[in-house]
Amino acid sequence: MANRIATLVGSLVEATATPYPVDRYLEFIDPMLTWRDTRAKVLEVRRQTDRSVTLTLQPTRQWKGHRAGQYVEVGVVIDGVRHRRFFSPANAESNRGELEITVAVHDGGLVSNHLREQVRPGEVLTLDSTGGEFSLPQERPERVVLVSGGSGITPVLSMLRTLISEGHRGPVTFVHYARTPDDVPYSVELDAIDRTVDGVDVRLHYTRTDAPEHFSAAHIADVAEADGAQVYMCGPAALMDAVREYTDGAGIADRLHTEAFTLAAPIEIDPDDVTGEITFSGSDVTAENDGRTILEQAEDAGLNPEYGCRMGICFSCTKVRKAGSTRNVLTGDIESEPDQHVQICVTAPCGDVEIDA
Amino acid sequence: MTLTHLPQPTKNTDSDTAEVSLSYEQVEALGRELDELRARVVADLGERDREYIYSIISVQRKLEFAGRAAMYVPFLPPVWLAGVGSLALSKILDNMEIGHNVMHGQYDWMREDTYNSREFDWDTVCPGDQWKHSHNYMHHTYTNILGEDRDVGYGILRMDRDQKWNPYYLGNLAYATALMVFFEWGVMLHDLEAENIVQGKRKWTDVKGLLKGMWNKASKQVAKDYIIYPALTGPFFASTLVGNASANIVRNLWTYSIIFCGHFPTGAQTFTSEECADETKGQWYVRQMLGSANITGSRLFHILSGNLSHQIEHHLYPDVPANRYPEMAAEVREICERYGLPYNTGGLSQQLGSTWKKIAKLSLPNFMTKDDNNVVVNIEREKAAGAA
């Protein structure tokens, strides 16, 4: 009964706000007062290393928590534009409560530099629900090996913290690769864990010192090959390849669980590049890019996407560019950010492009 | 090409009509100038424009709240009346500076969940997606082309001498008045092309989806203004209903007036499909300028008109944030003057007066009235043979 009354009141409130979501009113009172949207207030900004920033966030009540290893989409406004990026929470898994993300700053990284240099406590960010299959199983493995490199530390740190908070009994080995000792976020905490928590062994390796240490089988063989041990790994491609090669050779490939993180390397785009393929992922059609607009190429491929003016003014033909680079044929601007809307009547692919059409 | 030999508007000796002729190359040069102006403004979009639209939305929300609250004190007539005014202003801002402009994609670059052309819907009975089809696509692509731009007369009125007269049009003034009072419903029905259904050019089965969309949207709007909010004021149900209806009608009178000043005052030209076939971007720009008319006024007036008082700039750049039109207007006007093109602008009463005068005159057959377009612009549509 109480539930039905609540539902009734809820629909009445939404009917009074029609045609707008209720949150479009509430945000002018307090952005943390939300009806459906999930947002988070920045509580603390810590700069643990020269090339990272750690944000502690207080989510609104809609936040349902995360499982160790998963990621969340965070949105922040930079010069009027909302940019969204995925980050793995570094704190132990929980259903509620605070959220901690550590962001590695890379040269020219718009969002990462903004989060490190501009964001202040009190600012409200948008959050989207968690995702990702990279997580500890509900039934925790007895023996766990966690391997990370660079900013890949956050999802596996979440796993480590989760196991510790649960009082995990089995052995846990935490292996992390950083450039130098100064590049390890959470180094104080990791050191304390190593010294004080029974069964947890922290092994740090540095790749840019006088005696650089890159991954070698010897770093984890003693623990990874033990009976039933499960290996969770997140890091750059070179590390992933090396670990995969090792586990394949050792016959324990089925115990390896991975998540790749990719640094969006700036790619030089040739605007006259008419090579590559255009993929219409919504309809499973792929065609050779012939340099004309996406709308024209879609029509030639037998698709019938909605369109209107065919000159870039009416926005009837807007579709999502999932991946690849495109050129606005009116302005010559080239854009590469994934999951952005483009008007396909005035947009041509540069190389391989995936469009959700 | 140098621009030193631009033709000056020359007065025709045997009438009041001035004639301007532009060569193909001149039109293309004009188009490039307008493209450059656009590129400069688009490159500069950022925090300032975001703050602008959010500040307008914030004011609109406050006006709406004040208007709804005032309905609880109908026993104090001045407060209740101020509430009607406040709610009407809220709806005007919502429809004009927020809804119309957001649904044009002017703020898509902000990448916000709601304030973009894909998601937004406005506080009127017309469903946003249908309006985007009839307005953003049909009207803005085929502006003032007779037979294609249904905003010329909305399928009910005779708004151009080239529309064939018949006795039905004797009621032109009455139809226009009814359209003004019930404008929100006229806008809703626009995409149906009712006259084409009547004439058998469009089947009822073709519009089933449209009707369903109208029902879904309009029923929610009607429930909100005429049932839920009146009911929430309890004993004041009737006065709240009257107040909400009045606010909607005030909004209708205003939006109709602003919109009709956009393309119908004296001097705004119409075109034929034949002359606009295969037109270049430069020719499209010229058509937008010749077919549109501005209204002069204060900053507040421009905001309340959704900057459609800068109809010329809006038609040149429908997806550029409207708060930029005032700063673009000076440059557009200067370009027009340099090419000898008319820049149709005037005060609200002047533009409105000439629009109603046109509605009245066009209720009569052409031989009983005279054409008062005073500038004729000829543009060379085809590249001259042998030209480089």
Side-chain angles (χ1 to χ4, degrees), chain B residues 39-143:
Chain B
R40 279 203 302 282
V41 172
V42 168
D44 188 47
L45 294 180
E47 192 59 40
R48 168 160 78 104
D49 304 274
R50 181 189 183 90
E51 276 171 16
Y52 174 78
I53 193 66
Y54 272 90
S55 71
I56 296 291
I57 296 165
S58 170
V59 169
Q60 182 268 319
R61 301 296 195 244
K62 285 169 187 140
L63 286 167
E64 181 177 5
F65 180 80
R68 302 288 184 198
M71 295 298 143
Y72 286 88
V73 283
F75 41 87
L76 296 175
V79 176
W80 182 86
L81 264 179
V84 173
S86 189
L87 193 55
L89 276 176
S90 151
K91 284 172 180 279
I92 285 169
L93 278 180
D94 177 282
N95 290 182
M96 306 293 268
E97 187 70 336
I98 304 167
H100 170 270
N101 293 337
V102 168
M103 287 195 287
H104 258 295
Q106 294 181 2
Y107 297 92
D108 276 19
W109 57 272
M110 295 197 309
R111 299 184 192 164
E112 275 304 332
D113 285 343
T114 313
Y115 299 112
N116 64 62
S117 60
R118 300 173 301 282
E119 313 277 335
F120 195 86
D121 204 346
W122 51 359
D123 184 13
T124 137
V125 292
C126 178
D129 57 340
Q130 296 186 20
W131 179 81
K132 279 182 278 182
H133 178 259
S134 60
H135 182 86
N136 289 6
Y137 167 38
M138 299 299 286
H139 169 58
H140 273 273
T141 311
Y142 305 111
T143 311

Side-chain angles (χ1 to χ4, degrees), chain B residues 276-337:
Chain B
C276 300
D278 299 320
E279 70 184 356
T280 64
K281 184 77 188 288
Q283 292 166 3
W284 182 84
Y285 273 137
V286 172
R287 174 159 57 86
Q288 301 304 324
M289 290 194 291
L290 297 179
S292 308
N294 282 7
I295 315 168
T296 55
S298 65
R299 179 155 189 266
L300 179 64
F301 171 77
H302 291 312
I303 292 172
L304 290 177
S305 77
N307 273 299
L308 294 180
S309 48
H310 295 100
Q311 188 74 240
I312 297 172
E313 287 73 26
H314 174 57
H315 264 266
L316 295 174
Y317 311 111
D319 59 344
V320 168
N323 61 309
R324 295 296 189 126
Y325 294 155
E327 69 190 49
M328 299 174 94
E331 211 166 321
V332 170
R333 185 169 192 158
E334 186 273 327
I335 292 172
C336 279
E337 279 165 9

Side-chain angles (χ1 to χ4, degrees), chain A residues 15-16 18-20 24-25 28 77 79-84 308-309 311 313-315 337 340-341, chain B residues 46-47 50 61 64 94 104 110-115 118 120-122 136-137 141 224 228-229 284 319:
Chain A
T16 59
T18 192
Y20 301 112
R24 296 293 85 76
Y25 286 88
F28 289 101
V77 175
D79 195 22
V81 181
R82 184 169 299 283
H83 294 269
R84 298 174 174 86
C309 65
M311 58 186 295
I313 59 167
C314 79
F315 290 77
E337 205 176 318
Q340 293 306 320
H341 287 88
Chain B
E47 192 59 40
R50 181 189 183 90
R61 301 296 195 244
E64 181 177 5
D94 177 282
H104 258 295
M110 295 197 309
R111 299 184 192 164
E112 275 304 332
D113 285 343
T114 313
Y115 299 112
R118 300 173 301 282
F120 195 86
D121 204 346
W122 51 359
N136 289 6
Y137 167 38
T141 311
K224 176 175 81 160
I228 296 172
Y229 274 109
W284 182 84
D319 59 344

Side-chain angles (χ1 to χ4, degrees), chain B residues 221-281:
Chain B
Q221 290 290 125
V222 167
K224 176 175 81 160
D225 277 341
Y226 304 132
I227 299 172
I228 296 172
Y229 274 109
L232 286 173
T233 55
F236 311 127
F237 187 98
S239 65
T240 304
L241 189 149
V242 170
N244 292 352
S246 309
N248 276 326
I249 289 173
V250 169
R251 180 270 321 271
N252 286 351
L253 303 182
W254 177 260
T255 51
Y256 166 93
S257 300
I258 296 297
I259 287 159
F260 265 60
C261 286
H263 300 288
F264 306 133
T266 303
Q269 302 191 12
T270 53
F271 307 86
T272 64
S273 313
E274 293 74 38
E275 62 185 346
C276 300
D278 299 320
E279 70 184 356
T280 64
K281 184 77 188 288

Side-chain angles (χ1 to χ4, degrees), chain A residues 110-231:
Chain A
L110 179 70
V111 175
S112 60
N113 278 290
H114 179 88
L115 291 177
R116 182 176 156 92
E117 305 303 333
Q118 307 295 330
V119 166
R120 301 278 173 270
E123 183 163 343
V124 174
L125 311 174
T126 54
L127 284 187
D128 212 331
S129 54
T130 51
E133 294 305 309
F134 183 64
S135 61
L136 286 176
Q138 285 308 318
E139 186 160 340
R140 313 300 195 202
E142 170 74 8
R143 295 164 186 276
V144 178
V145 181
L146 303 169
V147 182
S148 58
S151 64
I153 192 171
T154 52
V156 290
L157 180 66
S158 176
M159 293 177 175
L160 176 65
R161 286 168 153 181
T162 301
L163 292 170
I164 291 173
S165 74
E166 290 173 354
H168 185 71
R169 302 239 170 241
V172 179
T173 309
F174 186 91
V175 188
H176 179 67
Y177 295 84
R179 296 177 176 200
T180 70
D182 291 337
D183 288 306
V184 183
Y186 304 101
S187 56
V188 175
E189 180 181 340
L190 289 171
D191 184 46
I193 289 171
D194 191 34
R195 283 185 289 107
T196 60
V197 183
D198 289 343
V200 177
D201 179 18
V202 175
R203 303 173 180 179
L204 298 175
H205 299 281
Y206 307 111
T207 56
R208 291 200 190 169
T209 53
D210 292 341
E213 289 190 301
H214 292 279
F215 175 80
S216 88
H219 293 167
I220 60 169
D222 59 327
V223 284
E225 290 171 30
D227 229 15
Q230 300 293 317
V231 180

